Amino acid sequence: MVARIRSIDGVVPQAVDGPWRLTLTPPGAWTGPGDLLESADWIPAPVPGTAAAALRGAGLWSEATPTPIHDQDVWYRGPLARSGPVRLRFEGLATLAEVWLDGVPVLVSRSMFEAHAVEADLRPGTELALCFRSLKAELDRPSKRGRWRPRMITPGSLRHVRTSLLGFMPGWCPEIDLVGPYRPITVEPQHPGLVEADLRAIYDADAGRLSARLRISGHPASVTLHCDGRAIVLTESAPGLYAGTLALPGIAPWWPHTHGTPHLHAVSVAIDGTTIDLGRTGFRTLALTRPFAEGLALAVNGVPVFCRGANWTPSDLVGLGTAECGTLVDLAREAGMNMLRVPGTTLYPASEFYDLCDAAGILVWQDLMLANFDYPHDAADFTDALAREVTGVLDRVQLAPSLAVICGGSEVWQQAAMLGAPRTVWADAFCSETLPGLVADTRPDLVVVPNSPSGGDLPFLPSAGCTHYYGVGAYRRPLEDARWAEVGFASECLAFANLPEPATLGQRRPADPIWTRGIPRDRGADWDFEQVRDHYVGLLYGVDPAALRADDPERYLELGRAAVAEVMEQTFAEWRRARSPTAGGLVWFLRDLGPGTGWGVIDWTQAPKSGWYALKRAFRPVQVTLSDEGLGGLYIHVHNETAGPVDLRLALTFADRTGKVAARAERGITLDPRASLTLSSAEMLGRFFDATDSYRFGPRIHDVAHARLTDTDGAVVAESFHFPGTRPVTPEAIGLRVEPVAGASVPTLRVGTDHLALAVTVRSSAARPCDSGFHLAPGSDRLVRFPGCQQLPQGMIAALNSRESVRFGHDA
């Protein structure tokens, strides 16, 4: 496989010229380009793109009410401006594709996930024609049934077809049919040069090595590998095969951004003076810190990493484009995420996704596109195609340091095990035996996970391997279950119907039904994920969500936003404790798949929701959290994941909601790099105090415990809150106030309060604040910045327990 060539002497491989046109026909109506009729309804079509995107552009299809496309054949045609010997590359064709050049068949593809290259000698004006045959017609054909049938995905015949499951999960995502050349089609001149490349970035004992095995056509006089300003001349070890290893002592390693700098280094090869840019790579090690059966736990460059983030979904579900990909990766990084998982229910992302994660310092967990079904691993053609698929993906990202985990798919093993099948049925040999060998041949630096979840006597046990943990969440367990379950690594967790912000909903009062759209539901379940959210509203705030929804829908929505934020912060605070067995948690999802109230912590317009702000607070590399240890009091946990020591001031305060202090202590602490410290409330105070309201020798005299970390300049680094009883959310006068900060480098507000302020929201239709939904301790204040703004925008600040709301901006 050719490593992805970025450019040859600065010339980037070009997309085919077009213009492209598209039309739809009944299945099998046209057998080839000779049947094409100019009188058909041809419309302009973007390439790369999908039929849905083209039809939407022509006003013939709507994302709000998507009509089927899989029940028809989809034809594309376009002229090629180039002539002479060329190589056509097809990066992704969805799904049953046939390709002709000037009426001559040159390619048949039956997988959405395989890339293809075709060599041809073109005449001026050659026409390229593609037909995407009806997927429905294929799925309707009789086929061998699996040993089990998932309820979530339909029809069962999808197990035989290598296509995305997006659009086939009712209640889970919009039913949008993905058809067309969704990845680039490029044309490049044939010339002597690089044919195949096997490149490996190796890091060991502060030294890097770039190993290369290049197959090169022709008889070059010199082949030189370049990286980080250093070079080595490769030698011909066999006819056309040039190999060598470039030693890079002292090279700066690649780190997840939470733990260091994600250093990247340019890689290129010069063949007789022609420079081929192969992109950038990073040097890092990756290892397990304990046996997989005890819970997946990763170390990067020898340092244990608590992996936190979310599950990735396509940034454009209609056209499958990558335009918003950078925005979403930036938001993930800003929220402190250091891992994104691509689940097997979606599709392999474009190479640009890995480039962005490389630069952002975000690890990638990549599932194979397998989910829930009993796949026909006993069929040679299926396993051969799957092996090509795996190898193709690994070849395409062979230099990406962000890629960390390759997993055999999502809930395949769990699905069978939950239906009562024994291990001999659900533990397929491909994922447990063949996959590790395929990965070892191309990317031996990766961790291989056979399935998600897997690792225990049953694949879904929370303490073993990796788990899909929904004890807190879908199963509506108490918040303490996050500790009781002893989660090892949650590759999925914390799914809620997360409400978008009011600006996205587009109205001051929630009368518009858009906020009731897109609420996820597992097929066959008699409940949905809005009911899950409502459960925690009742648990945390002591209200009846159903009655509140009818009587005061605005209040209902605000409590819903606050509840999921609180649950997410508390769960990750529990999992980041020094004594916690949990080594990672990935929220289900990063972004909604469509309009409405989906699983994402970012909505379909790319705007963060309350859960995103909560995770941003929970994922801080320098962090303080509180844990309720019952009769042992409160424990204060301070973490420093950064590469340098930090000097901090830690304050612990117990007060009632008006600010009357019951107990307080403060001390200076120094944390070494990548170190944690745990203190008890008794150790901080130097005396007994019923910090958790466990002894109850009298009436409780505090409503909140507040831990605050400040740096040597007095700036707040992190805060944490503990409530020994039901949160006091009854609206009252709390003295909420706001003022602009004069002379700040970016527009900044100082938000303060006299009494305890819960879930303080900072909203502006013109800008996004650095934080929202945070608590304020009595008598404290907080700086809220508006990055990217030239002047302070207009907006509103409110709190769950405040009768007052405060406007800010130039006409406040």
Side-chain angles (χ1 to χ4, degrees), residues 332-383:
R333 188 186 193 282
E334 184 182 342
M337 299 182 185
N338 60 20
M339 177 175 274
L340 293 170
R341 171 179 172 237
V342 182
T345 46
T346 57
L347 73 159
Y348 300 106
S351 299
E352 289 78 7
F353 168 76
Y354 296 95
D355 294 342
L356 291 164
C357 291
D358 289 345
I362 295 176
L363 297 163
V364 177
W365 171 310
Q366 177 66 69
D367 276 7
L368 303 190
M369 293 303 111
L370 302 170
N372 295 74
F373 283 112
D374 176 22
Y375 288 97
H377 292 297
D378 55 346
D381 57 345
F382 182 88
T383 55

Side-chain angles (χ1 to χ4, degrees), residues 96-278:
L96 306 176
E98 301 170 18
V99 181
W100 295 264
L101 283 173
D102 275 344
V104 177
V106 295
L107 175 65
V108 174
S109 175
R110 294 186 58 82
S111 172
M112 181 177 180
F113 307 126
E114 281 192 62
H116 303 275
V118 174
E119 295 186 353
D121 193 352
L122 302 182
R123 64 170 183 79
T126 295
E127 183 175 73
L128 180 61
L130 299 89
C131 179
F132 296 89
R133 298 296 182 185
S134 167
L135 185 58
K136 183 178 185 301
E138 175 72 14
L139 296 174
D140 286 346
R141 290 192 178 96
S143 59
K144 183 180 179 181
R145 295 183 60 174
R147 292 165 293 178
W148 66 87
R149 301 189 74 176
R151 299 188 71 178
M152 185 179 83
I153 311 167
T154 184
S157 50
L158 277 165
R159 75 188 193 99
H160 296 282
V161 182
R162 299 306 299 138
T163 194
S164 175
L165 300 177
L166 292 168
F168 292 100
M169 293 170 281
W172 197 91
C173 71
E175 295 184 36
I176 295 172
D177 292 350
L178 305 179
V179 185
Y182 72 102
R183 291 279 158 77
I185 301 175
T186 58
V187 58
E188 59 191 45
Q190 292 185 40
H191 54 76
L194 184 62
V195 177
E196 293 181 355
D198 180 6
L199 298 164
R200 297 184 184 180
I202 304 161
Y203 188 66
D204 183 32
D206 299 323
R209 289 177 289 139
L210 184 62
S211 173
R213 288 169 54 85
L214 309 181
R215 188 162 298 281
I216 297 172
S217 62
H219 303 282
S222 66
V223 178
T224 306
L225 181 68
H226 296 263
C227 181
D228 191 43
R230 291 174 263 189
I232 185 174
V233 176
L234 304 183
T235 59
E236 191 173 16
S237 58
L241 182 64
Y242 293 77
T245 299
L246 176 59
L248 300 162
I251 197 164
W254 185 93
W255 286 95
H257 73 96
T258 49
H259 289 66
T261 302
H263 293 286
L264 293 172
H265 310 275
V267 178
S268 64
V269 59
I271 302 173
D272 285 345
T274 298
T275 299
I276 302 175
D277 177 10
L278 297 175

Side-chain angles (χ1 to χ4, degrees), residues 76 270 452 553:
Y76 283 75
S452 181

Side-chain angles (χ1 to χ4, degrees), residues 265-530:
H265 310 275
V267 178
S268 64
V269 59
I271 302 173
D272 285 345
T274 298
T275 299
I276 302 175
D277 177 10
L278 297 175
R280 298 189 296 173
T281 194
F283 294 83
R284 56 111 181 104
T285 64
L286 186 71
L288 296 178
T289 64
R290 62 190 178 197
F292 178 66
E294 296 176 11
L296 176 68
L298 300 179
V300 177
N301 302 328
V303 174
V305 172
F306 181 83
C307 298
R308 67 275 199 167
N311 281 256
W312 178 264
T313 55
S315 57
D316 173 13
L317 189 59
V318 176
L320 300 182
T322 59
E324 301 295 338
C325 194
T327 299
L328 292 173
V329 171
D330 287 345
L331 286 171
R333 188 186 193 282
E334 184 182 342
M337 299 182 185
N338 60 20
M339 177 175 274
L340 293 170
R341 171 179 172 237
V342 182
T345 46
T346 57
L347 73 159
Y348 300 106
S351 299
E352 289 78 7
F353 168 76
Y354 296 95
D355 294 342
L356 291 164
C357 291
D358 289 345
I362 295 176
L363 297 163
V364 177
W365 171 310
Q366 177 66 69
D367 276 7
L368 303 190
M369 293 303 111
L370 302 170
N372 295 74
F373 283 112
D374 176 22
Y375 288 97
H377 292 297
D378 55 346
D381 57 345
F382 182 88
T383 55
D384 289 347
L386 189 56
R388 291 195 305 271
E389 177 180 310
V390 173
T391 302
V393 170
L394 294 176
D395 279 337
R396 180 163 54 89
V397 293
Q398 58 184 265
L399 288 176
S402 60
L403 183 58
V405 176
I406 290 291
C407 174
S410 173
E411 296 190 352
V412 176
W413 291 14
Q414 171 178 292
Q415 182 77 77
M418 281 191 163
L419 292 173
R423 176 179 288 271
T424 53
V425 170
W426 49 259
D428 66 271
F430 183 92
C431 292
S432 59
E433 300 171 15
T434 305
L435 180 61
L438 292 172
V439 174
D441 288 343
T442 307
R443 287 291 303 264
D445 60 309
L446 304 181
V447 168
V448 180
V449 171
N451 218 260
S452 181
S454 66
D457 295 331
L458 293 171
F460 46 82
L461 297 181
S463 61
C466 61
T467 189
H468 292 182
Y469 174 74
Y470 294 114
V472 175
Y475 304 141
R476 289 176 269 192
R477 301 279 293 163
L479 299 187
E480 293 82 1
D481 191 76
R483 178 180 293 199
W484 301 336
E486 296 188 326
V487 173
F489 191 109
S491 44
E492 293 180 14
C493 63
L494 298 176
F496 300 96
N498 291 309
L499 287 155
E501 291 293 289
T504 296
L505 296 181
Q507 71 282 327
R508 292 183 59 81
R509 294 187 59 82
D512 191 306
I514 189 172
W515 66 273
T516 65
R517 290 170 49 190
I519 294 172
R521 176 190 292 270
D522 283 338
R523 190 164 179 255
D526 61 358
W527 52 270
D528 61 30
F529 283 83
E530 181 173 71

